[in-house]
């Protein structure tokens, strides 16, 4: 009973570093030897160090061996995105801010127009040819008129 | 003081690399990344207990390092700075999680990304189960520690940092770190001793 109640001053908050370092195997040989001599005589410190060793071993079980396969690629991608010129960001932000909703009825109307009144390139081409022929005929007629004028003058 | 800072910078190879990054050498950043990527991810994984979140936070930590390259001054060890950024990111994430009160326990979150721990040989079903129980208990015990105690234990145990180094990362005194570790290990002894 008295052994359980007794708490060695080495286990106080101020001094426990020594015992914690001992259990973490971070003490230099001379200090380790001195502490081991004390632990041999002090049941309270022996109990403390045994419990701390068990904690240390339990924490050892938590091995974190995972690593991100594409960590670097993703990081460099983010870095390159940050390197974009400011105007690109502004353009992206501007296009994101534009509301396309008002343009939707106009686009729908245009789609309907194209559906029901399709452009007919053949008719247009025929019309163009007709106009061209009329222009040629007109020019020939003009030439004829000029010739007739010449003849009349002679 | 200035001489001490210069000496530190010379001794700290990472700081030297970071100075090169500051001067536009991107290959030095790659070296820093190779050197510290894994410890940072592992530290963050143990802090937040979720692999995807840990990687995301680690990305953010390295991104912040890169962003700050122009103004970098080797006033402290590079790893102190890096782990300070990582720790603050983890604290913020934990705080946000708490404030959301999403009721997702850290244990549930951890289910997504830690199956890779058991990769040595072909252990029996029984030993796998025993290992899993023990591992869950360790995770649970760590997650129950207050944030600063948790960070201090993880840096002390797994990153093998000195008290002074932990103190600089956490922005507190060395005696405060000793106090944090004393209380943290006291809690862990109470919870974990039986599972070792």
């Amino acid at each position: 009973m008295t052994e359980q109640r007794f708490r060695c001053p080495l286990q106080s908050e101020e001094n426990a570093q020594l015992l914690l370092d001992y259990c973490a195997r971070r003490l230099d040989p001379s200090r380790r030897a001195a502490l081991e001599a004390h632990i041999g005589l002090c049941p309270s410190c022996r109990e403390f160090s045994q419990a701390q060793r068990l904690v240390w071993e339990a924490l050892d079980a938590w091995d974190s061996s995972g690593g991100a396969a594409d960590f670097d690629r993703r990081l460099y991608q983010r870095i390159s995105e940050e390197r974009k010129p400011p105007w690109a960001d502004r353009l992206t932000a501007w296009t994101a801010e534009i509301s396309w909703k008002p343009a939707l009825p106009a686009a729908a109307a245009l789609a309907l127009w194209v559906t029901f009144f399709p452009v007919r390139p053949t008719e247009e081409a025929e019309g163009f040819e007709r106009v061209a022929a009329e222009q040629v005929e007109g020019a020939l007629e003009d030439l004829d008129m000029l010739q007739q004028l010449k003849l009349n003058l002679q | 003081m200035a001489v001490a800072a210069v000496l530190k910078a010379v001794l700290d190879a990472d700081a030297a690399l970071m100075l090169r990054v500051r001067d536009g050498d991107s290959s030095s950043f790659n070296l820093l990344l190779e050197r510290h990527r894994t410890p940072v991810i592992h530290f963050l994984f143990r802090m937040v207990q979720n692999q995807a979140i840990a990687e995301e936070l680690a990305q953010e930590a390295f991104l912040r390092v890169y962003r700050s390259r122009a103004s970098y001054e080797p006033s402290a060890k590079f790893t102190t700075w890096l782990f300070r950024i990582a720790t603050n990111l983890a604290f913020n994430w934990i705080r946000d999680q708490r404030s959301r009160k999403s009721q997702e326990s850290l244990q549930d979150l951890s289910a997504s990304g830690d199956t890779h721990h058991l990769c040595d040989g072909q252990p029996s079903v029984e030993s796998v189960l025993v290992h899993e129980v023990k591992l869950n208990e360790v995770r649970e015990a760590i997650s129950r520690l207050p944030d600063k105690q948790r960070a201090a234990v993880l840096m002390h145990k797994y990153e093998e940092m000195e008290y002074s180094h932990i103190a600089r990362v956490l922005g507190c005194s060395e005696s405060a770190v000793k106090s944090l570790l004393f209380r943290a290990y006291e809690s862990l002894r109470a919870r974990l001793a039986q599972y070792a």
Side-chain angles (χ1 to χ4, degrees):
Chain A
M1 288 292 281
T2 49
E3 272 187 8
Q4 283 179 344
R5 282 180 187 173
F6 171 75
R7 191 170 189 180
C8 179
L10 271 184
Q11 294 165 39
S12 67
E13 198 168 313
E14 296 77 31
N15 302 321
Q17 182 199 345
L18 194 64
L19 282 166
L20 292 177
D21 285 348
Y22 169 71
C23 297
R25 296 187 176 85
R26 289 188 187 181
L27 283 185
D28 57 75
S30 61
R31 294 177 84 194
R32 190 176 66 224
L35 190 61
E36 278 174 349
H38 169 78
I39 288 170
L41 299 169
C42 178
S44 176
C45 283
R46 194 159 53 241
E47 193 182 323
F48 181 101
S49 57
Q50 278 169 354
Q52 182 62 21
R53 277 255 170 90
L54 292 176
V55 167
W56 208 251
E57 285 166 17
L59 293 176
D60 278 337
W62 194 10
D63 174 35
S64 179
S65 56
D70 62 343
F71 184 87
D72 292 6
R73 186 193 57 76
R74 284 187 287 137
L75 179 64
Y76 281 115
Q77 190 180 339
R78 288 177 73 177
I79 285 173
S80 67
E81 278 170 12
E82 292 207 347
R83 277 183 185 156
K84 276 197 302 188
W87 61 264
D89 287 336
R90 280 205 297 273
L91 183 66
T92 310
W94 180 70
T95 50
E97 278 174 13
I98 292 174
S99 175
W100 297 100
K101 280 182 183 173
L104 286 176
L110 185 65
L112 283 171
W113 179 269
V114 169
T115 307
F116 291 107
F117 304 102
V119 180
R120 293 176 188 167
T122 50
E123 281 182 15
E124 192 178 284
E126 282 171 12
F128 176 77
E129 281 171 12
R130 193 167 54 243
V131 169
E134 282 171 2
Q135 283 175 347
V136 170
E137 281 173 10
L140 288 171
E141 280 173 6
D142 291 341
L143 285 171
D144 284 343
M145 279 169 64
L146 275 172
Q147 279 180 344
Q148 282 172 6
L149 279 170
K150 275 184 185 176
L151 288 170
N152 290 337
L153 283 170
Q154 286 172 355
Chain B
M1 277 301 271
V3 175
V6 170
L7 273 174
K8 261 185 187 176
V10 170
L11 291 171
D12 186 0
D14 292 330
L17 283 173
M18 194 57 210
L19 286 172
R20 277 189 223 153
V21 175
R22 186 183 69 178
D23 297 338
D25 179 11
S26 56
S27 64
S28 294
F29 183 73
N30 203 41
L31 282 173
L32 284 170
L33 188 58
E34 273 181 26
R35 225 180 251 192
H36 301 291
R37 178 207 309 114
T38 306
V40 169
I41 293 175
H42 287 182
F43 170 72
L44 286 167
F45 171 67
R46 290 186 175 109
M47 279 297 287
V48 302
Q49 303 199 8
N50 177 295
Q51 187 69 25
I53 299 295
E55 284 177 24
E56 188 57 35
L57 295 179
Q59 290 250 327
E60 186 60 32
F62 281 105
L63 202 58
R64 287 188 185 190
V65 166
Y66 189 81
R67 278 186 201 137
S68 311
R69 68 195 183 283
S71 57
Y72 176 74
E73 290 296 336
S75 53
K77 262 182 95 172
F78 175 78
T79 48
T80 304
W81 181 44
L82 179 61
F83 272 85
R84 192 168 197 166
I85 294 171
T87 305
N88 286 338
L89 285 168
F91 284 168
N92 289 343
W93 185 84
I94 293 165
R95 188 200 56 214
D96 291 349
Q97 283 297 105
R98 283 203 191 110
S99 68
R100 278 180 209 144
K101 293 283 177 194
S102 60
Q103 304 302 313
E104 283 178 301
S105 73
L106 291 172
Q107 196 174 353
D108 291 338
L109 285 167
S110 70
S112 62
D114 51 18
T115 50
H116 51 262
H117 300 312
L118 300 168
C119 53
D120 47 343
Q122 295 284 321
S124 69
V125 175
E126 191 186 347
S127 69
V128 168
L129 287 173
V130 169
H131 184 84
E132 272 301 312
V133 168
K134 197 166 147 182
L135 208 53
N136 282 338
E137 195 60 33
V138 170
R139 284 195 208 112
E140 180 69 15
I142 292 282
S143 72
R144 280 170 184 259
L145 292 175
D147 298 349
K148 267 197 166 180
Q149 286 187 26
R150 190 191 314 182
V153 164
L154 296 180
M155 283 186 267
H156 182 249
K157 167 68 181 135
Y158 297 106
E159 307 309 321
E160 298 184 354
M161 286 185 188
E162 300 291 333
Y163 296 96
S164 57
H165 196 178
I166 298 170
R168 283 195 293 274
V169 171
L170 293 179
C172 59
S173 67
E174 209 172 311
S175 61
V177 168
K178 286 174 187 171
S179 176
L180 282 172
L181 286 172
F182 176 83
R183 281 180 276 134
Y185 283 125
E186 199 167 43
S187 304
L188 292 175
R189 279 197 300 277
R191 288 190 65 91
L192 292 179
Q194 58 185 313
Y195 289 94

